[in-house]
Amino acid sequence: MIKDKWKDRIGVAVIFLAIMKYYGVFFGFSNLSKYFMIISLLFSTVLVVTNIKKYSLIHYGIFAIFAIQFVFSRNITAIYTYYLCLALYNVDFRVIVKWFMIINAVLFSIYLCMNLIGIHPTEYLEGRNDFGFGNPNTAFISMFLVWISYFYNIYNKKNKLDYALLFLFIFLMYTQTTTRTGLLTAIMTIIAFLILEKVNFEKKWVRVFISGFPIFMTILSLVFATVLSNNYFINKVLSHRPLYWHSYVMHSSKGINLFGYPSNIRDILFTQRMPLDSGYIWTLYSSGLVVYTVLILMMTYTLYRLCLEKKKAEILLIVSLLIYCFAESIMLDLATNVGLVLTVSGISNLSLKSFKKRTDNKKIREIRS
């Protein structure tokens, strides 16, 4: 028990540093981001080294792929995030989400208080309150991180007051920010919750349907970025995001490649007036086809394993963040996508031996038939 507690404490420190790196931009100490990264890597190394025997060849293989991507692109995002997730794999996930919620709630509350007293004054964008974050969408995302982690923690309690608070959070934030993507994500999350309460995980098609969600969202994003990028109605609903996606994906000389680009490619190639608000398109573009494919397959397999284990709270957490990723670039950052930790846990069930065993069993069945 004592052994697990010290791991939990280091894990909480890693989560804290990752979130501080996210909030550092808003609080005005973004220059400290590199120190947050270095310290978080040191803490993560302690957890990785002391639990080195828990990792499989699959874990090492994926780390090698991400390392190769870093060498080619000089983009540290993927390998840095994966390394933190490898470390947090050794910590109780419920402890991680609990402290993820607490830290985000405290920092978000502090920021709102600073906004009220004018330290970070509100700027209205077409009548929308940004709470000092500089963008109403960012304010909603910061609230949503508290909202979904709270949803995860109360999932199995079935307390009506908890659900009332969830609706209240969304209602109040939307009335101020009028962020359609955030509101739709919350609505879709609630719909997903109602579906999960009814589905039968014993049926294979249900498991395949749920686990295929990351692939479906990828295909949908690419269709919008290419075939439907000039559709007037879709661009109006999605605030012209597909047009921007198209500019990145179909760029004449710097389009999608195998290993991506440096993390500052957006500033080099485009302008701040051409954002890329899509976790799918941005991750594919900046990290490259190889890393993106591995990441989506990891999520797909993890969702399938969670379906087998009937872990509905974990499934809802991942799915809700994947929904939000459709219109916001929050996929490959531990501070905005704590569900990534589950992908490392998910692939721990995957091994070359188990794959060989399944292949041999399939061959035996074919011979018998």
Side-chain angles (χ1 to χ4, degrees), residues 112-275:
L112 290 186
C113 290
M114 294 173 77
N115 174 248
L116 287 173
I117 62 178
I119 296 176
H120 293 290
T122 291
E123 293 182 11
Y124 289 94
L125 179 64
E126 298 178 352
R128 301 164 63 201
N129 190 347
D130 73 347
F131 291 102
F133 280 91
N135 189 320
N137 294 339
T138 305
F140 200 100
I141 290 170
S142 300
M143 182 282 301
F144 187 83
L145 297 176
V146 179
W147 187 84
I148 192 57
S149 50
Y150 180 66
F151 204 156
Y152 173 84
N153 280 288
I154 60 97
Y155 188 96
N156 295 312
K157 295 179 181 178
K158 303 296 186 290
N159 188 325
K160 291 182 180 179
L161 178 60
D162 288 326
Y163 294 127
L165 286 173
L166 287 172
F167 283 110
L168 182 63
F169 289 158
I170 291 297
F171 174 75
L172 291 176
M173 204 65 185
Y174 179 73
T175 57
Q176 292 296 308
T177 62
T178 60
T179 302
R180 285 175 296 179
T181 53
L183 178 64
L184 288 172
T185 300
I187 292 172
M188 293 300 293
T189 298
I190 294 168
I191 293 173
F193 167 73
L194 296 174
I195 292 173
L196 286 171
E197 288 296 285
K198 300 294 182 182
V199 297
N200 181 5
F201 287 108
E202 298 298 330
K203 296 180 179 180
K204 187 174 182 179
W205 72 266
V206 171
R207 300 196 297 269
V208 172
F209 177 78
I210 294 174
S211 61
F213 190 70
I215 298 173
F216 168 75
M217 293 298 285
T218 297
I219 294 171
L220 185 65
S221 299
L222 287 172
V223 169
F224 277 21
T226 53
V227 180
L228 300 176
S229 62
N230 288 315
N231 184 280
Y232 172 78
F233 176 75
I234 290 175
N235 275 291
K236 185 177 181 180
V237 172
L238 294 175
S239 303
H240 298 91
R241 282 179 172 87
L243 278 175
Y244 298 140
W245 300 349
H246 183 85
S247 299
Y248 285 80
V249 172
M250 304 303 291
H251 194 277
S252 57
S253 61
K254 295 287 185 179
I256 294 173
N257 63 18
L258 290 177
F259 297 107
Y261 300 99
S263 56
N264 63 342
I265 184 65
R266 183 161 23 197
D267 300 324
I268 296 172
L269 202 60
F270 302 96
T271 67
Q272 289 299 320
R273 296 183 64 83
M274 284 187 65

Side-chain angles (χ1 to χ4, degrees), residues 11-28:
V12 170
V14 172
I15 283 291
F16 173 75
L17 290 164
I19 297 172
M20 284 301 294
K21 181 175 174 291
Y22 169 77
Y23 267 94
V25 176
F26 311 123
F27 280 110

Side-chain angles (χ1 to χ4, degrees), residues 47-56 60 90:
L47 288 174
V48 169
V49 171
T50 54
N51 296 277
I52 198 73
K53 293 182 180 180
K54 286 189 177 182
Y55 303 112
S56 67
Y60 294 124
N90 302 292

